[in-house]
Amino acid sequence: MNIAPNSYSRTRKRLMAAVASLALVGTVGAGMLATGTAPVLADAVRVEAPQMPSFADVVEHVSPAVVSVKVKAKIQPTADDGSDDQDGFDNLPDNPQLRRFFKEFRGFGDQGQGGQFGMRRFNHRDHGNGQPRPIAQGSGFFISEDGYLVTNNHVVSEGSDFSVVTNDGKELDAKLIGTDPRTDLAVLKVDGGGNKFTYVDFADDSKIRIGDWVVAVGNPFGLGGTVTAGIVSARGRDIGAGPYDDFIQIDASVNRGNSGGPTFNLNGQVIGINTAIFSPSGGSVGIAFDIPASTAKQVVQDLMKSGSVQRGWLGVEIQPVTKDIAESLGLKSDKGALVSSAQDGGPGKKAGIAAGDVITQVDGKDVASPKELARMIGAFAPGKSVDVTVWRNGKDETVKVDLGTLPASDKQASNDDNNKQSAPAAKADTLADLGLTVTKAEKGKGLVVTDVDPDSDAADRGIQPGDVITSINSNEVNTTDDVSKAMTDAAKAGRKAVLMQITRDDSNRFVALPVGKG
């Protein structure tokens, strides 16, 4: 049974009318007390209170679609069989920023149940060796009448057996259909034995406004179906969880166990999926993050269809365009993504994209940042041919790229060891205007930085001894004369900065340095 969004229009109207009525009552009541000629007792003023705003209609209809998710895994006992001191952090992706983020709320005193958001560690004793044991508990919701449901990847990632508990208390076995760690989403399926499940639809989250009412339903602390309400606090949040961060922030109370649960609008549609909270204490402080419905909808469809998500791949490493970099390249704004390197054999390099290019558009749509470029390319299917507009040599150029398939590894590009430098033996030269001391690279390509003036712009921008300067404004530099010429040419062209390409630890990056400053 699907839930019709139109059935909630009356709820929205009631909320708005009730709020207006409350304001009116406050005005009338204050006036009566203020204008009285004799002392008035508190119970002398009798005003019929309006019906308070209620989310009951929404909750009544959506609750049957929300479930608690139980996860078990075959865990071999160790010397410390009930080791809860890991707090569930072994379930997190190997991402230092994400782990640091979740450690902000690992506490909960001495309950022994600490863990990442949505995860709960249980004592493993009293279960036979090698038998499935409870390791996690979260939330989920049905998206089809035949039993497909959505939850978080971090809820199920370590599991071997899965079950769900419905709103009416029934526990049903579930099968894992597929996961997508990059967006922290997973799809399970329950066999209803011919019965149809109540399910909910995804909302068009582009219409969500900051300040809109929302309702979160889930399974905090394993308590079962629990409802909290709040508003949309912010959009487009980046918490360092991955390349596709675009979270909706809400202030509805969300705690451990809510992971994978839905957040609804007043029409009973899912605007987002609870996936993270920020809290120094471990409990809710009104900062929770949802995966947007628009992201979840496409990923879930792919998982239901094939059990995995195939994303387009450009095969380049990119970095933000700062104001200094934009100035050095003659760009009018600091929008776009600067290509620091193009992987050998990758789609981008095959199409002619090179280090130093700034990607400004994909298929005519503006690229605001590296994050947005990653989302745009990832939304295309592998093999899709796209037009990529790059800023190169002071003008726009468009190249056609046949996208590849995003590798399973998060490392999308790499360089060989040709740029590794041994300790320089050649005589060092000083570039006083830049605050750098350099020497020729061992293989004659580039200049190795041997010293950096700590008071220079180069030091401020992170250049270090051992960095290899390979080009300035796309021109190769192998001598200090090459550097001086590039600086002079930039000044003559009216540029206030030059773009210096450096290699460090087999990775390329670009640094903008002011012209004529030491």
Side-chain angles (χ1 to χ4, degrees):
M1 179 183 72
N2 189 14
I3 298 175
N6 291 335
S7 65
Y8 303 111
S9 59
R10 66 180 183 275
T11 302
R12 186 187 299 274
K13 292 178 180 178
R14 282 184 194 171
L15 285 168
M16 298 303 103
V19 170
S21 299
L22 283 172
L24 178 61
V25 169
T27 303
V28 173
M32 293 177 66
L33 290 170
T35 57
T37 57
V40 181
L41 297 177
D43 60 353
V45 178
R46 299 187 182 277
V47 179
E48 183 177 352
Q51 182 179 353
M52 296 294 290
S54 174
F55 301 99
D57 287 340
V58 176
V59 174
E60 180 181 351
H61 285 80
V62 302
S63 290
V66 183
V67 299
S68 299
V69 177
K70 292 185 176 182
V71 182
K72 298 179 181 180
K74 293 182 179 179
I75 303 175
Q76 295 300 324
T78 62
D80 184 7
D81 195 17
S83 58
D84 287 342
D85 55 346
Q86 291 295 317
D87 285 354
F89 281 87
D90 51 332
N91 294 306
L92 282 172
D94 187 16
N95 182 314
Q97 285 183 305
L98 183 60
R99 286 177 177 271
R100 185 168 58 254
F101 180 85
F102 280 115
K103 284 180 182 178
E104 293 290 337
F105 47 86
R106 65 182 296 175
F108 287 95
D110 59 358
Q111 298 179 35
Q113 303 291 348
Q116 74 204 60
F117 171 82
M119 302 298 291
R120 185 176 182 180
R121 293 295 293 242
F122 292 85
N123 189 303
H124 300 319
R125 300 183 182 93
D126 303 325
H127 298 275
N129 291 347
Q131 296 299 313
R133 306 173 182 183
I135 63 166
Q137 195 159 272
S139 306
F141 58 98
F142 287 113
I143 54 169
S144 72
E145 64 182 9
D146 54 349
Y148 284 97
L149 63 99
V150 178
T151 187
N152 279 146
N153 172 69
H154 77 254
V155 172
V156 302
S157 60
E158 298 296 322
S160 60
D161 291 270
F162 312 94
S163 63
V164 301
V165 180
T166 60
N167 186 56
D168 57 5
K170 295 179 181 177
E171 185 165 355
L172 304 171
D173 291 336
K175 176 183 178 182
L176 181 62
I177 300 301
T179 65
D180 181 44
R182 286 187 171 93
T183 56
D184 195 21
L185 290 169
V187 172
L188 299 169
K189 189 175 188 303
V190 173
D191 184 359
N195 295 322
K196 295 182 178 180
F197 295 95
T198 299
Y199 68 96
V200 289
D201 292 322
F202 287 110
D204 179 0
D205 62 67
S206 67
K207 297 180 180 179
I208 297 169
R209 298 181 303 166
I210 296 173
D212 280 349
W213 284 106
V214 292
V215 178
V217 185
N219 177 34
F221 306 108
L223 294 173
T226 299
V227 179
T228 56
I231 62 170
V232 174
S233 303
R235 302 202 57 179
R237 288 300 197 206
D238 181 349
I239 63 174
Y244 307 111
D245 281 17
D246 186 27
F247 292 104
I248 298 170
Q249 182 181 328
I250 64 172
D251 74 346
S253 181
V254 173
N255 292 282
R256 288 185 292 118
N258 276 103
S259 273
T263 295
F264 295 100
N265 61 18
L266 296 187
N267 290 328
Q269 298 169 309
V270 178
I271 68 159
I273 300 169
N274 301 322
T275 195
I277 64 172
F278 181 82
S279 171
S281 64
S284 173
V285 294
I287 300 177
F289 302 99
D290 280 12
I291 302 167
S294 55
T295 299
K297 185 175 182 179
Q298 183 59 52
V299 170
V300 166
Q301 288 176 350
D302 290 343
L303 293 177
M304 291 172 62
K305 183 178 180 180
S306 62
S308 63
V309 179
Q310 299 295 314
R311 293 185 172 89
W313 178 54
L314 193 57
V316 297
E317 289 185 351
I318 51 181
Q319 67 181 76
V321 179
T322 64
K323 290 183 178 179
D324 286 340
I325 289 175
E327 170 60 37
S328 70
L329 294 173
L331 282 166
K332 295 180 180 179
S333 71
D334 56 358
K335 306 295 185 182
L338 175 62
V339 177
S340 57
S341 67
Q343 182 175 1
D344 290 338
K349 190 165 187 176
K350 288 180 180 178
I353 296 177
D357 290 341
V358 177
I359 299 175
T360 58
Q361 290 186 332
V362 175
D363 275 355
K365 296 181 180 179
D366 291 340
V367 174
S369 65
K371 283 279 188 182
E372 184 168 356
L373 176 63
R375 287 194 293 267
M376 292 171 72
I377 295 298
F380 291 111
K384 171 72 174 178
S385 181
V386 297
D387 290 328
V388 178
T389 302
V390 300
W391 180 261
R392 177 188 297 165
N393 297 326
K395 61 180 180 179
D396 286 322
E397 295 185 25
T398 300
V399 297
K400 189 170 289 294
V401 183
D402 295 327
L403 299 177
T405 302
L406 182 65
S409 170
D410 286 335
K411 186 173 178 60
Q412 299 175 27
S414 62
N415 298 311
D416 57 28
D417 293 334
N418 292 336
N419 289 323
K420 284 188 176 179
Q421 303 293 328
S422 2
K427 180 182 177 181
D429 294 310
T430 301
L431 295 168
D433 288 345
L434 298 177
L436 297 173
T437 301
V438 298
T439 187
K440 289 184 178 180
E442 189 178 62
K443 296 184 179 180
K445 291 187 177 181
L447 296 169
V448 181
V449 177
T450 60
D451 192 30
V452 182
D453 182 349
D455 296 323
S456 66
D457 289 303
D460 290 342
R461 285 157 176 77
I463 296 179
Q464 304 172 3
D467 289 345
V468 181
I469 303 171
T470 57
S471 72
I472 295 181
N473 285 356
S474 299
N475 296 312
E476 288 187 4
V477 292
N478 297 307
T479 67
T480 54
D481 288 340
D482 293 337
V483 177
S484 298
K485 183 179 184 301
M487 301 291 288
T488 301
D489 290 345
K492 289 180 179 179
R495 300 284 173 80
K496 296 180 180 179
V498 294
L499 190 65
M500 181 177 291
Q501 183 179 6
I502 66 172
T503 300
R504 178 190 302 166
D505 297 330
D506 297 334
S507 295
N508 288 327
R509 61 189 294 258
F510 286 89
V511 177
L513 290 179
V515 173
K517 287 185 67 178

